[in-house]
Amino acid sequence: MLQQLFTPSVQHTLELVGIFFFAISGALLAVRKNFDVFGMAVLAEVTALGGGLFRDLIIGAVPPAAFTDLGYFLTPLLATLLVFFLHPEVERIQLGVNVFDAAGLGLFCVSGTTKAYEYGLGLTASATLGLATAVGGGVLRDVLANEVPSLLRWDRDLYAVPAIVGASMVVLCIRYDVLSPFTSGLAVVTAFALRLLAMRFHWRAPRAWHRRSTAVEVPE
């Protein structure tokens, strides 16, 4: 068994914090789409738990943690209620929400990679599932809301790349037998910092050279 980044109680608390802020992003999108409270709750739950649920089903960790820990299920509902009653105020602190979302991204790409490896997957597959844990919920959220997933849009600041970097750092540490709370924490911080820098400086992935597409991005 690989070493835990934190004690189980601390890690569980951090995961709930990450789930909470992922859920807020889902509920806020539901408000912008004029969904009712049920639609808000669905998007919040999917955004917060979708990536981890996908990972657990792939690796055979059943029933998934989302169905065995009541806190995982109730936390998105709490976020839904907050947005339902206070969404103008939540919108005004969107930057703060994004910072916590970036922290969740860093934590989940590392914990997802570690858990996948513990269940017997190879290094590449583990990193892939670490990425899926971090970004899968956001993809499902956008699909349900009839949006092109932010992950695929060129006009969005880098999101998957920081998660890929964090997951890759973990599998390299596993490969060279140096995975520890310190190196795991370094991977979390690196993914977190890259996401913050991408938001600050609007870093985006390059598009194809000499492309001939006439598609025009529709402003929101």
Side-chain angles (χ1 to χ4, degrees):
M1 184 70 69
L2 297 175
Q3 289 179 283
Q4 294 287 335
L5 173 56
F6 302 106
T7 63
S9 61
V10 171
Q11 182 159 331
H12 184 258
T13 299
L14 290 174
E15 287 178 350
L16 290 180
V17 171
I19 285 171
F20 180 77
F21 284 99
F22 278 0
I24 282 182
S25 71
L28 284 175
L29 178 59
V31 171
R32 296 179 191 126
K33 288 287 187 175
N34 202 30
F35 289 3
D36 62 16
V37 66
F38 180 76
M40 292 173 61
V42 168
L43 279 197
E45 293 281 358
V46 165
T47 307
L49 305 178
L53 180 62
F54 174 77
R55 176 205 61 213
D56 288 350
L57 291 175
I58 291 295
I59 64 179
V62 292
F67 291 98
T68 58
D69 189 319
L70 189 60
Y72 284 13
F73 179 77
L74 294 180
T75 298
L77 297 183
L78 177 62
T80 299
L81 289 176
L82 179 68
V83 174
F84 181 79
F85 289 108
L86 300 173
H87 68 86
E89 288 74 14
V90 175
E91 288 275 16
R92 282 197 287 270
I93 60 169
Q94 183 66 56
L95 178 60
V97 172
N98 287 342
V99 170
F100 282 99
D101 180 90
L105 180 81
L107 177 66
F108 289 151
C109 73
V110 170
S111 64
T113 302
T114 302
K115 186 171 183 178
Y117 185 77
E118 288 177 341
Y119 273 78
L121 269 66
L123 296 179
T124 301
S126 296
T128 301
L129 276 189
L131 170 64
T133 304
V135 305
V139 172
L140 292 173
R141 173 202 63 205
D142 292 342
V143 169
L144 288 177
N146 198 30
E147 294 264 317
V148 176
S150 297
L151 199 67
L152 305 178
R153 294 181 58 170
W154 69 270
D155 61 332
R156 292 292 188 265
D157 302 331
L158 293 179
Y159 194 79
V161 171
I164 292 171
V165 171
S168 298
M169 289 178 65
V170 173
V171 296
L172 285 174
C173 288
I174 294 172
R175 171 66 178 80
Y176 294 104
D177 198 24
V178 293
L179 188 68
S180 68
F182 174 76
T183 55
S184 297
L186 183 61
V188 171
V189 171
T190 300
F192 173 60
L194 283 175
R195 173 57 180 160
L196 291 184
L197 290 171
M199 291 190 296
R200 173 64 179 84
F201 297 106
H202 302 297
W203 291 346
R204 293 166 184 172
R207 290 183 285 175
W209 288 10
H210 309 301
R211 63 189 183 88
R212 295 289 185 264
S213 172
T214 58
V216 176
E217 187 68 30
V218 178
E220 295 183 351

